[in-house]
Structures are given as structure tokens and as C-alpha cells.
Amino acid sequence: MPTPIPMLQAAPIFTRKDYREVLRREMDAGKIPLSLGRDCPVKCEFCYELDHSYRETLDPPKTSDEDWKYILDYISKKPTDPKQFWCLGGNEYMEWTDLFLHPKAMEWVEDFLKYTDKSIQFFTVGFVHVPKIHQLVAQYPGRINFELSVITLSDYRQRLMPHAPSVKHVMKVLDGPAVSSANFYSFDAHTMSKDAIAISKINQKCVLWMGTLTPVRGLKEETASLMRQGRKHLADEALRIYDAALPNLQTIHTEAYITAFLSRKRIVSLFDSLELEKKDTIVTAWSVYKILSTYRKNKARFLYVPNAMLSGDSDCTVLLTFDDIVRRLTTEKVVHIPKCIMQSGRGPFTDITGVTLEQFTQKTGVKVKVLHKVDTRFANEQLYRNGSLQNYVENYVRNPMVQAYEALPRPA
């Protein structure tokens, strides 16, 4: 039996509560770090921010006018990239909240558009002023990317987000030029599909961003069960929307194993380009493990690593942590690790928890060979390339290989 290795933990970033340092870190990553100064009062049952104890965050105070002046001045001095949209709210070193609950949020969004030449994107479950939000979009065309988190218009809405805006208000937000995309999900039969038709009747120009929610740590079991129930209905719901032939652009967010299947040719060709040998040990989560062990069996040793740190059903290689990998090591002296695991917002060669590659190698004594070609750019390209509802229906749901693929058993 190998000697157990203590859990890998990131070195503390903030030795004291340096609020401005938090703001600068977020802004350097393209964020506009406003804060409500407390936990998000909306308390959506599915929120991935319910448990972020795996990474260090600092609770900043409620953003003041003085803070805003500092933020606006700092961002104004940054060079402008016409392709960049600055994201309203910090979410790497601060807790994400629905910032339109801040009494000055709409005013500061207008300030940002008026006093800088930069673009902005934001997410909200609908706490925006109507008609002000429509006015701003018309006044600053092309500079606002508004992603409305509809989540669901069904009877599940009250259960999942009891403190969110009403369906009536959400429809007013949709009825105009403001919303760039509306995201909503499958929870049961005739949930996602019914929502798609209802939203499209009001707004034919916004993107319909649909799919499933993946359970992660911190969620109530009944909420996680509802998410899994939605996954079972996703194919039928997608078919209903496909057959409805709605005029909106339609994208879909699915589980990692579906993205991997749709990207299988690119994954295999990238693997072949790495010129690895049979003895080489490759770290991968379940979604990519299924592809490589099916199409490149015995071409290398594939070390399946569960997403234990986030728990739930993630199965995503990008979200693996060094601690997850430690838990799977036995006699390995050398492992090949995809670069995407160590490209988090915490810094270069750092995982999502803040643990560095150097910490991993020092703690384990295992030599790491980084697979630089398997980076987040490659992962994101596959996600967006295969992200249309049409592609999901035609190349996954209707693919005769899928049943056998989904039935593949996990390794022990």
C-alpha cells in the first residue's frame, strides 16, 4: 500500500484583507469587480457558487462610489481590444452575486459605456430596469452582451429560484433589443421545449442557449436529482425544439461526455500528434477517457481521474485538480498532464483551487510532462464548434453509436 499523501492545498494568496489587490486581480482578468458586500440574496438552488470553499476568496464590502471611481479609472487606462467584453462582477477572487441588485448597478453600467470605449457583458436572472436596459442597448449598439439567466419558466421555477424576478418581468426584459442570449434548461418533459417556444414568440433575435445543469458539490441532493432528471429528458426536449424550426440561433450546453463524443475525431487526431508511447501515462477525466480508451486502446496508459474536488457529475478534464490526480496515483514515476488543467484564473500552471504544478511535483515526487497542445483553447474550440442544437440532434441523438457509447462502464 502506498503511503497516503495529504490533501494538496494552495498557499494563501491574501495574508491580510487587501481589498484593492482583489479588485486589481479581477480587473487584470477582464472583470468589473462590483460587489453586494454579502452572499447573493437570490439563493438559487442550482448556483455553482453555493460552495466555493475549494478556492480562496475574499469578501469585499459593498461597492461604494469611491470604489467605483477607482475601478473605472483603472479600467479606463487599459488598452481597448475591440473583441473584448468586460464581465460585470468578479468571480475568481470574489463571490459571484447578481449585481443588478446593487442600487447603483444600472447607473454604473451607463458610466462604463459613457466614459470608456470598451464593451461590457453581464449575467442576471432579470434584475434590470425596464425600459432603461433597452434604451442603453439602443444607445450603445454592439457594446452590450446581455446574457439573461431565464433558467426555467415552468413550475420548477418557484422551487429552484423562489426569490428571482417573476416570469412576467422576465418576459418584459425579453421584449426588446436588450437580451443577447437567454439560457434555460431541461428539467422534465415539455420544460425546455416549451420555454424555447415561449421565448421565441417574444424575441426572435436573441440566442436560445439551452441544455442541462451539471450537479457539483454543495447542491442539495433533491436539486442534483432534478438536474439528472433533466439530463434524461434532454434528447427528447431537443428534438421537440428542432422540429419546431424556430427562427432563433439555437445553442446547447450538454454534459462533458457529449461534447467529447462530438469532438472525438479532433481528440483522436490531437492525441496522435502527441506521439506518445504505450508506456506513457495520460491523465484524463471520464469524458475523454471514454474516447481514447475506445479509439486508441493500448496506444498509451490512460489514467482515469474522477472530478472528486468538485464532486457531482462533472467528468471534465479542464476542471480536474492536482489533488484529484494525487488520489489516483499508485506507482507512477512520470505522468503526462494536459495543460488545460493548469490554466485557471489563479495563474499559469495553476489548477482551479490555486495549487501549482511545482507544489504537485514537490509533494509527490512524480515527474510531470505537460501536454501543451491539450490546452483550454483547444477545449473551448470543441465546445463552441459543436455547440449548436442542430449538431447535437443530428450527430448525437440520432447517431446509432450513442447507445453503446453511453453504456460504457467506468473503470474501477
Side-chain angles (χ1 to χ4, degrees), residues 129-167:
H129 184 275
V130 179
K132 182 66 175 181
I133 191 64
H134 295 304
Q135 175 199 322
L136 287 177
V137 170
Q139 186 177 351
Y140 298 97
R143 291 182 59 196
I144 297 177
N145 180 28
F146 177 5
E147 303 198 20
L148 178 63
S149 297
V150 175
I151 309 301
T152 183
L153 301 174
S154 72
D155 292 341
Y156 289 111
R157 184 176 180 84
Q158 181 61 31
R159 169 177 165 183
L160 291 170
M161 42 199 315
H163 307 298
S166 67
V167 170

mmCIF file of all heavy atoms in Angstrom, residues 129-167:
data_model
loop_
_atom_site.group_PDB
_atom_site.id
_atom_site.type_symbol
_atom_site.label_atom_id
_atom_site.label_comp_id
_atom_site.label_asym_id
_atom_site.label_seq_id
_atom_site.Cartn_x
_atom_site.Cartn_y
_atom_site.Cartn_z
ATOM 1 N N HIS A 129 -33.632 47.206 -14.890
ATOM 2 C CA HIS A 129 -34.724 48.158 -15.038
ATOM 3 C C HIS A 129 -35.199 48.188 -16.480
ATOM 4 O O HIS A 129 -34.409 48.332 -17.402
ATOM 5 C CB HIS A 129 -34.255 49.552 -14.609
ATOM 6 C CG HIS A 129 -35.338 50.591 -14.627
ATOM 7 N ND1 HIS A 129 -35.676 51.290 -15.765
ATOM 8 C CD2 HIS A 129 -36.169 51.028 -13.652
ATOM 9 C CE1 HIS A 129 -36.662 52.120 -15.486
ATOM 10 N NE2 HIS A 129 -36.975 51.977 -14.207
ATOM 11 N N VAL A 130 -36.492 47.991 -16.651
ATOM 12 C CA VAL A 130 -37.112 48.119 -17.976
ATOM 13 C C VAL A 130 -37.928 49.414 -17.952
ATOM 14 O O VAL A 130 -38.695 49.631 -17.019
ATOM 15 C CB VAL A 130 -38.044 46.910 -18.259
ATOM 16 C CG1 VAL A 130 -38.712 47.066 -19.619
ATOM 17 C CG2 VAL A 130 -37.263 45.597 -18.181
ATOM 18 N N PRO A 131 -37.774 50.340 -18.894
ATOM 19 C CA PRO A 131 -37.132 50.165 -20.209
ATOM 20 C C PRO A 131 -35.670 50.631 -20.288
ATOM 21 O O PRO A 131 -35.116 50.671 -21.384
ATOM 22 C CB PRO A 131 -37.996 51.052 -21.090
ATOM 23 C CG PRO A 131 -38.389 52.189 -20.189
ATOM 24 C CD PRO A 131 -38.564 51.586 -18.811
ATOM 25 N N LYS A 132 -35.038 50.984 -19.150
ATOM 26 C CA LYS A 132 -33.689 51.537 -19.189
ATOM 27 C C LYS A 132 -32.709 50.623 -19.911
ATOM 28 O O LYS A 132 -31.868 51.078 -20.696
ATOM 29 C CB LYS A 132 -33.202 51.801 -17.760
ATOM 30 C CG LYS A 132 -31.813 52.433 -17.669
ATOM 31 C CD LYS A 132 -31.796 53.842 -18.240
ATOM 32 C CE LYS A 132 -30.466 54.517 -18.043
ATOM 33 N NZ LYS A 132 -30.428 55.895 -18.574
ATOM 34 N N ILE A 133 -32.780 49.308 -19.653
ATOM 35 C CA ILE A 133 -31.831 48.391 -20.267
ATOM 36 C C ILE A 133 -31.983 48.372 -21.782
ATOM 37 O O ILE A 133 -30.999 48.315 -22.522
ATOM 38 C CB ILE A 133 -31.971 46.972 -19.661
ATOM 39 C CG1 ILE A 133 -30.805 46.095 -20.109
ATOM 40 C CG2 ILE A 133 -33.310 46.343 -20.011
ATOM 41 C CD1 ILE A 133 -29.459 46.544 -19.620
ATOM 42 N N HIS A 134 -33.212 48.457 -22.267
ATOM 43 C CA HIS A 134 -33.435 48.501 -23.716
ATOM 44 C C HIS A 134 -32.897 49.809 -24.305
ATOM 45 O O HIS A 134 -32.344 49.834 -25.409
ATOM 46 C CB HIS A 134 -34.922 48.343 -24.030
ATOM 47 C CG HIS A 134 -35.484 47.003 -23.646
ATOM 48 N ND1 HIS A 134 -34.959 45.823 -24.112
ATOM 49 C CD2 HIS A 134 -36.524 46.664 -22.834
ATOM 50 C CE1 HIS A 134 -35.651 44.810 -23.607
ATOM 51 N NE2 HIS A 134 -36.604 45.301 -22.825
ATOM 52 N N GLN A 135 -33.040 50.879 -23.554
ATOM 53 C CA GLN A 135 -32.553 52.192 -24.004
ATOM 54 C C GLN A 135 -31.036 52.181 -24.157
ATOM 55 O O GLN A 135 -30.491 52.687 -25.143
ATOM 56 C CB GLN A 135 -32.967 53.262 -23.000
ATOM 57 C CG GLN A 135 -32.411 54.658 -23.289
ATOM 58 C CD GLN A 135 -32.464 55.562 -22.061
ATOM 59 O OE1 GLN A 135 -33.426 55.512 -21.290
ATOM 60 N NE2 GLN A 135 -31.430 56.363 -21.872
ATOM 61 N N LEU A 136 -30.334 51.582 -23.176
ATOM 62 C CA LEU A 136 -28.874 51.549 -23.229
ATOM 63 C C LEU A 136 -28.370 50.727 -24.411
ATOM 64 O O LEU A 136 -27.400 51.101 -25.081
ATOM 65 C CB LEU A 136 -28.307 50.981 -21.927
ATOM 66 C CG LEU A 136 -28.372 51.877 -20.699
ATOM 67 C CD1 LEU A 136 -27.840 51.132 -19.479
ATOM 68 C CD2 LEU A 136 -27.567 53.160 -20.915
ATOM 69 N N VAL A 137 -29.013 49.607 -24.678
ATOM 70 C CA VAL A 137 -28.601 48.763 -25.807
ATOM 71 C C VAL A 137 -28.793 49.494 -27.131
ATOM 72 O O VAL A 137 -27.948 49.415 -28.029
ATOM 73 C CB VAL A 137 -29.366 47.423 -25.790
ATOM 74 C CG1 VAL A 137 -29.142 46.654 -27.086
ATOM 75 C CG2 VAL A 137 -28.935 46.578 -24.592
ATOM 76 N N ALA A 138 -29.887 50.232 -27.235
ATOM 77 C CA ALA A 138 -30.136 51.000 -28.463
ATOM 78 C C ALA A 138 -29.158 52.169 -28.590
ATOM 79 O O ALA A 138 -28.716 52.513 -29.696
ATOM 80 C CB ALA A 138 -31.568 51.514 -28.455
ATOM 81 N N GLN A 139 -28.786 52.743 -27.453
ATOM 82 C CA GLN A 139 -27.887 53.906 -27.451
ATOM 83 C C GLN A 139 -26.440 53.510 -27.739
ATOM 84 O O GLN A 139 -25.686 54.287 -28.334
ATOM 85 C CB GLN A 139 -27.975 54.606 -26.083
ATOM 86 C CG GLN A 139 -27.209 55.920 -25.992
ATOM 87 C CD GLN A 139 -27.407 56.593 -24.636
ATOM 88 O OE1 GLN A 139 -28.250 56.171 -23.825
ATOM 89 N NE2 GLN A 139 -26.647 57.637 -24.374
ATOM 90 N N TYR A 140 -26.046 52.289 -27.311
ATOM 91 C CA TYR A 140 -24.671 51.820 -27.490
ATOM 92 C C TYR A 140 -24.673 50.493 -28.254
ATOM 93 O O TYR A 140 -24.352 49.433 -27.694
ATOM 94 C CB TYR A 140 -23.981 51.660 -26.131
ATOM 95 C CG TYR A 140 -23.869 52.944 -25.349
ATOM 96 C CD1 TYR A 140 -24.795 53.270 -24.354
ATOM 97 C CD2 TYR A 140 -22.832 53.839 -25.606
ATOM 98 C CE1 TYR A 140 -24.692 54.451 -23.634
ATOM 99 C CE2 TYR A 140 -22.716 55.026 -24.884
ATOM 100 C CZ TYR A 140 -23.654 55.328 -23.905
ATOM 101 O OH TYR A 140 -23.549 56.506 -23.190
ATOM 102 N N PRO A 141 -25.034 50.520 -29.515
ATOM 103 C CA PRO A 141 -25.158 49.272 -30.289
ATOM 104 C C PRO A 141 -23.845 48.506 -30.390
ATOM 105 O O PRO A 141 -22.784 49.095 -30.601
ATOM 106 C CB PRO A 141 -25.620 49.768 -31.671
ATOM 107 C CG PRO A 141 -25.220 51.203 -31.733
ATOM 108 C CD PRO A 141 -25.313 51.723 -30.330
ATOM 109 N N GLY A 142 -23.942 47.202 -30.178
ATOM 110 C CA GLY A 142 -22.780 46.337 -30.307
ATOM 111 C C GLY A 142 -21.847 46.298 -29.117
ATOM 112 O O GLY A 142 -20.866 45.560 -29.110
ATOM 113 N N ARG A 143 -22.144 47.090 -28.086
ATOM 114 C CA ARG A 143 -21.229 47.161 -26.944
ATOM 115 C C ARG A 143 -21.744 46.440 -25.696
ATOM 116 O O ARG A 143 -21.063 46.399 -24.668
ATOM 117 C CB ARG A 143 -20.911 48.623 -26.601
ATOM 118 C CG ARG A 143 -20.062 49.312 -27.672
ATOM 119 C CD ARG A 143 -19.726 50.727 -27.278
ATOM 120 N NE ARG A 143 -18.995 50.767 -25.999
ATOM 121 C CZ ARG A 143 -18.855 51.880 -25.276
ATOM 122 N NH1 ARG A 143 -19.405 53.025 -25.686
ATOM 123 N NH2 ARG A 143 -18.188 51.851 -24.134
ATOM 124 N N ILE A 144 -22.935 45.866 -25.786
ATOM 125 C CA ILE A 144 -23.506 45.173 -24.633
ATOM 126 C C ILE A 144 -23.847 43.739 -25.010
ATOM 127 O O ILE A 144 -24.571 43.501 -25.978
ATOM 128 C CB ILE A 144 -24.774 45.881 -24.122
ATOM 129 C CG1 ILE A 144 -24.446 47.296 -23.638
ATOM 130 C CG2 ILE A 144 -25.426 45.077 -22.997
ATOM 131 C CD1 ILE A 144 -25.667 48.085 -23.187
ATOM 132 N N ASN A 145 -23.297 42.798 -24.255
ATOM 133 C CA ASN A 145 -23.665 41.391 -24.396
ATOM 134 C C ASN A 145 -24.420 40.999 -23.127
ATOM 135 O O ASN A 145 -23.826 40.811 -22.073
ATOM 136 C CB ASN A 145 -22.428 40.521 -24.582
ATOM 137 C CG ASN A 145 -22.776 39.046 -24.742
ATOM 138 O OD1 ASN A 145 -23.856 38.714 -25.207
ATOM 139 N ND2 ASN A 145 -21.874 38.170 -24.343
ATOM 140 N N PHE A 146 -25.725 40.911 -23.229
ATOM 141 C CA PHE A 146 -26.597 40.671 -22.086
ATOM 142 C C PHE A 146 -27.075 39.215 -22.128
ATOM 143 O O PHE A 146 -27.848 38.832 -22.980
ATOM 144 C CB PHE A 146 -27.777 41.645 -22.139
ATOM 145 C CG PHE A 146 -28.811 41.466 -21.043
ATOM 146 C CD1 PHE A 146 -28.653 40.562 -20.005
ATOM 147 C CD2 PHE A 146 -29.961 42.233 -21.056
ATOM 148 C CE1 PHE A 146 -29.607 40.413 -19.010
ATOM 149 C CE2 PHE A 146 -30.937 42.104 -20.070
ATOM 150 C CZ PHE A 146 -30.756 41.185 -19.051
ATOM 151 N N GLU A 147 -26.573 38.418 -21.179
ATOM 152 C CA GLU A 147 -26.961 37.015 -21.101
ATOM 153 C C GLU A 147 -27.967 36.849 -19.963
ATOM 154 O O GLU A 147 -27.612 36.925 -18.789
ATOM 155 C CB GLU A 147 -25.724 36.137 -20.900
ATOM 156 C CG GLU A 147 -24.701 36.350 -22.021
ATOM 157 C CD GLU A 147 -23.683 35.236 -22.123
ATOM 158 O OE1 GLU A 147 -23.940 34.133 -21.611
ATOM 159 O OE2 GLU A 147 -22.622 35.478 -22.724
ATOM 160 N N LEU A 148 -29.205 36.643 -20.334
ATOM 161 C CA LEU A 148 -30.293 36.541 -19.360
ATOM 162 C C LEU A 148 -30.452 35.103 -18.884
ATOM 163 O O LEU A 148 -30.680 34.189 -19.678
ATOM 164 C CB LEU A 148 -31.599 37.027 -19.994
ATOM 165 C CG LEU A 148 -32.854 36.935 -19.125
ATOM 166 C CD1 LEU A 148 -32.740 37.822 -17.888
ATOM 167 C CD2 LEU A 148 -34.104 37.303 -19.930
ATOM 168 N N SER A 149 -30.328 34.912 -17.575
ATOM 169 C CA SER A 149 -30.471 33.574 -16.993
ATOM 170 C C SER A 149 -31.941 33.305 -16.691
ATOM 171 O O SER A 149 -32.417 33.512 -15.568
ATOM 172 C CB SER A 149 -29.628 33.463 -15.719
ATOM 173 O OG SER A 149 -28.265 33.623 -16.013
ATOM 174 N N VAL A 150 -32.650 32.856 -17.706
ATOM 175 C CA VAL A 150 -34.067 32.527 -17.537
ATOM 176 C C VAL A 150 -34.203 31.290 -16.654
ATOM 177 O O VAL A 150 -35.096 31.196 -15.812
ATOM 178 C CB VAL A 150 -34.719 32.288 -18.918
ATOM 179 C CG1 VAL A 150 -36.171 31.821 -18.758
ATOM 180 C CG2 VAL A 150 -34.655 33.551 -19.770
ATOM 181 N N ILE A 151 -33.368 30.308 -16.858
ATOM 182 C CA ILE A 151 -33.310 29.026 -16.149
ATOM 183 C C ILE A 151 -34.525 28.164 -16.470
ATOM 184 O O ILE A 151 -34.407 27.094 -17.047
ATOM 185 C CB ILE A 151 -33.166 29.191 -14.623
ATOM 186 C CG1 ILE A 151 -31.993 30.144 -14.311
ATOM 187 C CG2 ILE A 151 -32.970 27.839 -13.962
ATOM 188 C CD1 ILE A 151 -30.648 29.705 -14.828
ATOM 189 N N THR A 152 -35.706 28.621 -16.098
ATOM 190 C CA THR A 152 -36.928 27.901 -16.459
ATOM 191 C C THR A 152 -38.136 28.808 -16.256
ATOM 192 O O THR A 152 -38.156 29.651 -15.355
ATOM 193 C CB THR A 152 -37.091 26.607 -15.635
ATOM 194 O OG1 THR A 152 -38.263 25.913 -16.068
ATOM 195 C CG2 THR A 152 -37.217 26.904 -14.143
ATOM 196 N N LEU A 153 -39.128 28.625 -17.120
ATOM 197 C CA LEU A 153 -40.411 29.317 -16.966
ATOM 198 C C LEU A 153 -41.471 28.362 -16.435
ATOM 199 O O LEU A 153 -42.622 28.740 -16.245
ATOM 200 C CB LEU A 153 -40.866 29.880 -18.324
ATOM 201 C CG LEU A 153 -39.914 30.868 -19.005
ATOM 202 C CD1 LEU A 153 -40.420 31.217 -20.401
ATOM 203 C CD2 LEU A 153 -39.752 32.130 -18.177
ATOM 204 N N SER A 154 -41.067 27.116 -16.192
ATOM 205 C CA SER A 154 -42.002 26.065 -15.785
ATOM 206 C C SER A 154 -42.348 26.177 -14.301
ATOM 207 O O SER A 154 -41.885 27.077 -13.587
ATOM 208 C CB SER A 154 -41.385 24.700 -16.054
ATOM 209 O OG SER A 154 -40.337 24.446 -15.129
ATOM 210 N N ASP A 155 -43.124 25.209 -13.829
ATOM 211 C CA ASP A 155 -43.497 25.166 -12.413
ATOM 212 C C ASP A 155 -42.293 24.931 -11.508
ATOM 213 O O ASP A 155 -42.369 25.171 -10.293
ATOM 214 C CB ASP A 155 -44.530 24.056 -12.184
ATOM 215 C CG ASP A 155 -45.871 24.362 -12.846
ATOM 216 O OD1 ASP A 155 -46.110 25.547 -13.152
ATOM 217 O OD2 ASP A 155 -46.653 23.426 -13.072
ATOM 218 N N TYR A 156 -41.186 24.462 -12.060
ATOM 219 C CA TYR A 156 -39.978 24.251 -11.262
ATOM 220 C C TYR A 156 -39.323 25.574 -10.860
ATOM 221 O O TYR A 156 -38.447 25.598 -10.003
ATOM 222 C CB TYR A 156 -38.956 23.423 -12.042
ATOM 223 C CG TYR A 156 -39.350 21.964 -12.206
ATOM 224 C CD1 TYR A 156 -39.707 21.456 -13.449
ATOM 225 C CD2 TYR A 156 -39.374 21.102 -11.114
ATOM 226 C CE1 TYR A 156 -40.061 20.130 -13.611
ATOM 227 C CE2 TYR A 156 -39.737 19.775 -11.261
ATOM 228 C CZ TYR A 156 -40.076 19.286 -12.508
ATOM 229 O OH TYR A 156 -40.436 17.969 -12.661
ATOM 230 N N ARG A 157 -39.750 26.659 -11.480
ATOM 231 C CA ARG A 157 -39.110 27.954 -11.213
ATOM 232 C C ARG A 157 -39.202 28.341 -9.739
ATOM 233 O O ARG A 157 -38.220 28.759 -9.135
ATOM 234 C CB ARG A 157 -39.748 29.038 -12.088
ATOM 235 C CG ARG A 157 -39.081 30.400 -11.953
ATOM 236 C CD ARG A 157 -39.694 31.418 -12.915
ATOM 237 N NE ARG A 157 -39.049 32.717 -12.786
ATOM 238 C CZ ARG A 157 -37.926 33.065 -13.398
ATOM 239 N NH1 ARG A 157 -37.320 32.194 -14.197
ATOM 240 N NH2 ARG A 157 -37.405 34.263 -13.216
ATOM 241 N N GLN A 158 -40.360 28.204 -9.152
ATOM 242 C CA GLN A 158 -40.548 28.588 -7.758
ATOM 243 C C GLN A 158 -39.691 27.740 -6.834
ATOM 244 O O GLN A 158 -39.140 28.233 -5.842
ATOM 245 C CB GLN A 158 -42.026 28.462 -7.373
ATOM 246 C CG GLN A 158 -42.360 28.862 -5.944
ATOM 247 C CD GLN A 158 -42.031 30.326 -5.640
ATOM 248 O OE1 GLN A 158 -42.091 31.177 -6.522
ATOM 249 N NE2 GLN A 158 -41.669 30.613 -4.393
ATOM 250 N N ARG A 159 -39.533 26.488 -7.174
ATOM 251 C CA ARG A 159 -38.722 25.581 -6.349
ATOM 252 C C ARG A 159 -37.238 25.918 -6.458
ATOM 253 O O ARG A 159 -36.520 25.906 -5.454
ATOM 254 C CB ARG A 159 -38.973 24.141 -6.797
ATOM 255 C CG ARG A 159 -38.013 23.108 -6.223
ATOM 256 C CD ARG A 159 -38.401 21.728 -6.683
ATOM 257 N NE ARG A 159 -37.328 20.751 -6.470
ATOM 258 C CZ ARG A 159 -37.405 19.484 -6.834
ATOM 259 N NH1 ARG A 159 -38.509 19.036 -7.416
ATOM 260 N NH2 ARG A 159 -36.397 18.663 -6.616
ATOM 261 N N LEU A 160 -36.765 26.240 -7.652
ATOM 262 C CA LEU A 160 -35.342 26.436 -7.890
ATOM 263 C C LEU A 160 -34.866 27.852 -7.586
ATOM 264 O O LEU A 160 -33.717 28.053 -7.208
ATOM 265 C CB LEU A 160 -35.000 26.088 -9.342
ATOM 266 C CG LEU A 160 -35.092 24.613 -9.710
ATOM 267 C CD1 LEU A 160 -34.963 24.437 -11.219
ATOM 268 C CD2 LEU A 160 -34.008 23.807 -8.991
ATOM 269 N N MET A 161 -35.732 28.827 -7.803
ATOM 270 C CA MET A 161 -35.321 30.223 -7.625
ATOM 271 C C MET A 161 -36.496 31.044 -7.082
ATOM 272 O O MET A 161 -37.032 31.917 -7.770
ATOM 273 C CB MET A 161 -34.784 30.787 -8.946
ATOM 274 C CG MET A 161 -35.590 30.397 -10.153
ATOM 275 S SD MET A 161 -34.771 30.556 -11.772
ATOM 276 C CE MET A 161 -33.988 32.106 -11.724
ATOM 277 N N PRO A 162 -36.859 30.782 -5.823
ATOM 278 C CA PRO A 162 -38.045 31.433 -5.245
ATOM 279 C C PRO A 162 -37.941 32.942 -5.092
ATOM 280 O O PRO A 162 -38.947 33.625 -4.962
ATOM 281 C CB PRO A 162 -38.194 30.745 -3.879
ATOM 282 C CG PRO A 162 -36.832 30.222 -3.565
ATOM 283 C CD PRO A 162 -36.241 29.835 -4.881
ATOM 284 N N HIS A 163 -36.699 33.478 -5.091
ATOM 285 C CA HIS A 163 -36.516 34.918 -4.896
ATOM 286 C C HIS A 163 -36.186 35.647 -6.191
ATOM 287 O O HIS A 163 -35.826 36.828 -6.163
ATOM 288 C CB HIS A 163 -35.407 35.163 -3.863
ATOM 289 C CG HIS A 163 -35.618 34.421 -2.578
ATOM 290 N ND1 HIS A 163 -36.703 34.630 -1.768
ATOM 291 C CD2 HIS A 163 -34.875 33.439 -1.978
ATOM 292 C CE1 HIS A 163 -36.629 33.826 -0.716
ATOM 293 N NE2 HIS A 163 -35.535 33.093 -0.831
ATOM 294 N N ALA A 164 -36.283 34.962 -7.302
ATOM 295 C CA ALA A 164 -35.957 35.576 -8.595
ATOM 296 C C ALA A 164 -37.135 36.404 -9.102
ATOM 297 O O ALA A 164 -38.258 36.294 -8.595
ATOM 298 C CB ALA A 164 -35.610 34.487 -9.604
ATOM 299 N N PRO A 165 -36.893 37.240 -10.124
ATOM 300 C CA PRO A 165 -37.993 38.009 -10.708
ATOM 301 C C PRO A 165 -39.081 37.099 -11.273
ATOM 302 O O PRO A 165 -38.825 35.944 -11.624
ATOM 303 C CB PRO A 165 -37.309 38.795 -11.835
ATOM 304 C CG PRO A 165 -35.875 38.856 -11.453
ATOM 305 C CD PRO A 165 -35.598 37.577 -10.741
ATOM 306 N N SER A 166 -40.268 37.631 -11.374
ATOM 307 C CA SER A 166 -41.399 36.854 -11.873
ATOM 308 C C SER A 166 -41.250 36.574 -13.368
ATOM 309 O O SER A 166 -40.497 37.250 -14.080
ATOM 310 C CB SER A 166 -42.703 37.625 -11.646
ATOM 311 O OG SER A 166 -42.724 38.801 -12.452
ATOM 312 N N VAL A 167 -41.981 35.587 -13.837
ATOM 313 C CA VAL A 167 -41.998 35.277 -15.269
ATOM 314 C C VAL A 167 -42.488 36.497 -16.053
ATOM 315 O O VAL A 167 -41.954 36.807 -17.129
ATOM 316 C CB VAL A 167 -42.904 34.063 -15.551
ATOM 317 C CG1 VAL A 167 -43.122 33.880 -17.053
ATOM 318 C CG2 VAL A 167 -42.299 32.795 -14.945
#
